[in-house]
Structure formats: structure tokens, C-alpha cells
Amino acid sequence: MRPVDRHETIDALRTALREARQAGQSVGVVPTMGYLHDGHLELVRRARAENDRVVVTIFVNPTQFGPNEDFSTYPRDMERDLALLDAAKVDAVFTPGVEAMYPQPLQTTISLKPLGDMLIGKVRPGHFSGVATVVAKLFNIVQPTRAYFGEKDFQQLTVIRRMVQDLNFPVEIVGVPTVREADGLAMSSRNVRLSPDDRRAARVLSAALAEGAAMIEAGEGDAARVVAQMTTTIAAEPGVALRSLDICDSRDLSVVERIDRPVVMLVTAEVGPVLLIDQREARPV
Ligand code: PAF
């Protein structure tokens, strides 16, 4: 089996992509923090189907973690990731160290206001500025035609779409539906840190989202009533501590009171040592 083409420096990656760029080939990028699961591989499959070249980036970005968050315990397994990407026929994997991405303290950062400060941004101050800034750097390094992100991180996807519009990045952002385990749990690299009991308890999040969607699709137009029912369902599971639950306009994430347009329900909860997020879109009848 051919070992996947791995690059640890910006220069090496740019050199590897030069020929493709000169030949006018399209380049799809899948930015990740590694510890890949089937959700990531679905992004890779989409990128593979829609581009001449596919680049996956693996970088656990320290600037998007708060001081008391899980940067040091974030799961990592580079050898396994590279084997999966080799099997997925990726053309190049970019695996920079912190030194390569941040050779000097940044004086330039990107923050979106209010989009980056609301919802998860309230629970994780500074998180979306870290994400937007590193994704902007990755776009400048890879110069992709298209970039692929999971809808599970719905606010992240919205932040990136808005950054690309505001700053005129010449890249098409492709959102890919959430991939779930058989019992409904959204796939996440963090799931590996759930104990068997946590893992069972976490199912309540996708169940509550399904319940909320069923209410909306049956004609419930009062967001507070949907939130109240979902909160009751989640509260009945003692292993889960709800941190936020919002029903938002799918386009700009403004919180809605009346459900009279397509909405997205966004949930954040602590399950054991892990902060899990999940989402589901719903349309009123
Ligand atoms: O979704 C992620 O894994 C990260 O937030 C991203 C987009 C790779 C930026 O570090």
C-alpha cells in the first residue's frame, strides 16, 4: 500500500500542490483536528468525489481551546489517521506542528461579532475566533477550490461561511450532514472519552432533538414550548448536564420565538468529562 503523502511544513505542502494548481486542477480541503471517525471520512468521500486533488489537514489548534478546556487530553492517533486517509485515497495530508502554524504570537486574528460570541460562543469565549483564524490560515496555505465541514458543528459552519463572505475568500464552503452512530449519537472524536455509562446517557441528546423536530413538524410554533419539552427530556437523564439549548434561524443563528421559518436546534451538554454538541434542522409545516 502506498504511504499517504504527508507534509509537516507549509513550504512542503505548497510545493506538493504547485503542479496541480498550474494544471488548473481543483483542490478540496478537509480541515480536521485528527482522531478521525466516519464523520470525517464522509467529508473526505465528498471531497474525493468533487475535486481533482484532496488535502486533509490534521492540526489540534490550541487557540480554539479555553484555559480550562481539553486541549491536552484531546484524543490523538496520527498513525491510525494516516492509514485511514491512505485507504481513502487522499492526495496529501498536512500535519503541521504548533511551531509551523504559529511561529510568532499572532497580532492578527479574526473575530465575528455577534456570531462568534453567541450560543456556543457564550459557553466557550474566544473559541470561534480561534477557529476562524486557523481556518483562514489553512485557506491561505492550501488555497482550496472547496472546503468541507460537518453540519454537526453548525455554528462553526455558519461562522466559516460568514467569514468567507465578509473577507471574499475564493473558496466554496460545503456543509455535509452529521454522521451518527446506530443509536443516534452524533459522531465526534471526543466520544472516545465517554465511559460506557456516559455513552448510554449521551443518547438522550439526539432523542431530544428528534422529539423537538417532531413537535415542530406537527405544527408547534412556540419555540419556548419546544425548548421546555426537550429540556424535560434531557433533565430526566441524570448523566447529562445541559449547558445550552436554542432554536435558531438556520441562516443567521438568531434565536427565534415563533417557528415560522426553517430553524436549527442547537444543544450543548456535559456528559462525564466531555462537552458534547449536537444539532438538528426542522421546518415548520
Ligand atoms: O472542526 C474542527 O475539527 C476544527 O474546529 C477545525 C475546523 C479543523 C479548526 O481547527
Side-chain angles (χ1 to χ4, degrees):
M1 198 157 74
R2 138 193 92 94
V4 73
D5 202 8
R6 174 183 180 182
H7 305 281
E8 294 182 66
T9 67
I10 295 169
D11 280 353
L13 180 76
R14 285 199 168 137
T15 305
L17 291 176
R18 188 169 302 138
E19 218 178 280
R21 218 178 294 293
Q22 281 166 356
Q25 293 187 327
S26 58
V27 175
V29 70
V30 181
T32 80
M33 298 205 299
Y35 212 78
L36 304 178
H37 51 68
D38 217 41
H40 295 113
L41 296 178
E42 182 62 19
L43 304 182
V44 172
R45 281 190 282 273
R46 273 290 293 275
R48 186 68 284 169
E50 294 174 2
N51 299 277
D52 298 312
R53 298 292 180 102
V54 176
V55 179
V56 174
T57 71
I58 299 179
F59 178 60
V60 185
N61 173 40
T63 69
Q64 68 188 71
F65 290 81
N68 299 318
E69 292 182 359
D70 57 350
F71 174 67
S72 58
T73 54
Y74 194 85
R76 292 160 169 92
D77 190 343
M78 186 61 81
E79 289 315 309
R80 181 177 156 277
D81 288 349
L82 292 173
L84 287 169
L85 295 176
D86 193 20
K89 301 200 165 26
V90 161
D91 296 293
V93 185
F94 181 47
T95 60
V98 174
E99 220 357 72
M101 288 299 280
Y102 301 113
Q104 56 189 356
L106 291 184
Q107 297 198 18
T108 313
T109 55
I110 296 176
S111 43
L112 289 87
K113 292 183 188 307
L115 195 49
D117 295 333
M118 54 205 244
L119 305 166
I120 294 172
K122 270 198 239 158
V123 182
R124 305 186 68 189
H127 169 69
F128 287 113
S129 176
V131 169
T133 305
V134 79
V135 169
K137 284 168 72 68
L138 291 170
F139 285 174
N140 284 332
I141 292 165
V142 179
Q143 297 180 26
T145 318
R146 299 182 188 85
Y148 295 79
F149 296 91
E151 286 178 356
K152 178 178 85 70
D153 298 306
F154 202 90
Q155 189 173 359
Q156 168 172 283
L157 177 60
T158 310
V159 159
I160 291 164
R161 283 193 199 285
R162 184 59 192 250
M163 175 187 80
V164 160
Q165 285 168 14
D166 285 351
L167 300 182
N168 306 95
F169 278 91
V171 54
E172 180 190 334
I173 303 301
V174 183
V176 178
T178 305
V179 178
R180 297 182 179 278
E181 304 284 358
D183 63 3
L185 180 67
M187 286 196 185
S188 162
S189 304
R190 290 186 166 99
N191 290 352
V192 72
R193 297 184 54 224
L194 297 170
S195 70
D197 282 347
D198 296 337
R199 176 69 187 70
R200 262 189 301 280
R203 292 186 303 203
V204 77
L205 300 178
S206 57
L209 288 165
E211 185 181 33
M215 286 176 79
I216 293 167
E217 282 153 17
E220 178 58 70
D222 182 349
R225 288 168 69 134
V226 179
V227 168
Q229 179 54 47
M230 291 172 68
T231 303
T232 303
T233 298
I234 295 170
E237 174 48 75
V240 175
L242 185 62
R243 292 286 294 273
S244 66
L245 173 56
D246 297 279
I247 300 184
C248 304
D249 184 309
S250 293
R251 287 158 310 172
D252 63 9
L253 298 191
S254 55
V255 175
V256 301
E257 288 176 11
R258 288 297 311 160
I259 304 174
D260 52 7
R261 66 206 105 148
V263 292
V264 59
M265 297 168 282
L266 300 174
V267 62
T268 312
E270 271 169 54
V271 185
V274 185
L275 187 68
L276 291 180
I277 65 173
D278 201 355
Q279 59 67 233
R280 183 162 172 152
E281 288 180 271
R283 286 175 175 274
V285 278

